[in-house]
Amino acid sequence: MKIIVAIKQVPETSAVKMDPETGTMVRDGVEAIINPLDLYGIELALRLKEQFGGEVVAISMGPAKAEKALREAIAMGVDRGVLLSDRAFAGADTWATAYTLFKGIQKIGPFDLIICGERATDGDTGQVGPAIASFLDLPVASYVGKFESLRDGRLRVHRLVEDGYDLVEIALPAVITVVKEVSEPRLPTLRGKKKARASEIPVWTADAIGAEAEKIGLKGSPTRVVKIFRPKVARECTK
């Protein structure tokens, strides 16, 4: 079984800064971590590998320093990582990000399952996972809170909804996005850290994945932030 986990390196929540001119996030000089919700996706992938065998590959789009997030994933138990990094990817919205990841996943080759975190803490949209499924023309189950079974090429999972759970069965290959109820992320091991340090992380550019220039980065984003501001709080406390 081959599982691909899409992860993202995000700023520490307390260190998020926005550029008021471009409307994009300032990442230089800001402490970055693996998107916390992606850790649950990594853990589920590792548990499925332990149960059914196979390989887990982590993929991420970001600047060169996002390599650190992939090494952290390898330290947890992921087999290998791939970084999609190119100045042409900068400023991508969720559509352009999903397209770029889709092209990277195509280059990785055949797979059985793609796992994404429910959402990223910096964008908070929850759109990338389902969009990847759309580009790949695959079934998708979002907000997965529990894995039930995998047999005969069909995956049964519980989707978290407002009034409980939906039990869903989908045929592989497929895409799922997970919420934190699905697992408890493990800590990296010493052996894993040694492997992560020694691992070679390939870096694929737009040309390497065959991405169309008009579909990536800010140029390929149908949505963009045109203005940001801090709201003024105009209220007084009354005792």
Side-chain angles (χ1 to χ4, degrees):
M1 186 177 189
K2 186 172 182 178
I3 303 171
I4 297 176
V5 184
I7 68 173
K8 185 178 184 181
Q9 187 183 59
V10 298
E12 282 273 20
T13 307
S14 60
V16 173
K17 298 178 182 178
M18 298 294 290
D19 185 328
E21 298 297 323
T22 64
T24 57
M25 192 168 296
V26 177
R27 299 184 183 274
D28 294 335
V30 178
E31 182 65 29
I33 57 172
I34 294 180
N35 176 46
L37 289 162
D38 292 343
L39 295 173
Y40 300 96
I42 293 172
E43 178 61 30
L44 177 60
L46 296 176
R47 292 186 185 186
L48 291 174
K49 176 191 168 183
E50 290 167 355
Q51 187 172 349
F52 301 104
E55 179 187 32
V56 178
V57 183
I59 186 170
S60 184
M61 185 192 88
K65 69 177 185 178
E67 178 184 304
K68 179 183 176 184
L70 290 166
R71 293 193 186 279
E72 289 177 18
I74 292 172
M76 289 176 66
V78 168
D79 295 289
R80 57 191 177 98
V82 174
L83 177 62
L84 308 179
S85 187
D86 192 315
R87 291 188 68 85
F89 298 151
D93 69 356
T94 54
W95 192 94
T97 297
Y99 170 78
T100 304
L101 289 168
F102 148 69
K103 297 299 290 185
I105 289 166
Q106 279 191 322
K107 184 175 173 63
I108 289 174
F111 58 88
D112 298 289
L113 182 64
I114 296 173
I115 301 177
C116 305
E118 168 203 351
R119 56 187 168 79
T121 55
D122 58 353
D124 213 36
T125 65
Q127 296 172 350
V128 172
I132 291 172
S134 179
F135 279 116
L136 290 165
D137 194 23
L138 292 177
V140 58
S142 56
Y143 304 106
V144 171
K146 181 182 177 182
F147 163 77
E148 181 169 297
S149 66
L150 173 60
R151 62 172 64 94
D152 300 325
R154 302 189 72 83
L155 180 71
R156 288 171 65 91
V157 294
H158 293 245
R159 292 184 62 247
L160 183 64
V161 293
E162 289 185 1
D163 55 352
Y165 285 93
D166 281 341
L167 177 59
V168 178
E169 181 175 277
I170 54 177
L172 300 182
V175 179
I176 64 173
T177 72
V178 300
V179 294
K180 62 183 181 180
E181 287 83 359
V182 80
S183 60
E184 185 64 36
R186 68 191 67 188
L187 295 173
T189 63
L190 178 59
R191 179 180 295 179
K193 290 180 179 180
K194 288 181 177 179
K195 179 183 177 181
R197 195 177 301 119
S199 292
E200 182 177 341
I201 307 290
V203 179
W204 294 346
T205 61
D207 288 339
I209 61 176
E212 298 177 42
E214 65 274 13
K215 293 183 179 180
I216 59 175
L218 191 61
K219 181 180 178 182
S221 298
T223 62
R224 63 186 63 190
V225 178
V226 295
K227 181 181 179 182
I228 61 171
F229 64 95
R230 290 185 179 275
K232 294 181 179 179
V233 180
R235 63 175 183 261
E236 297 179 1
C237 176
T238 302
K239 291 184 179 180

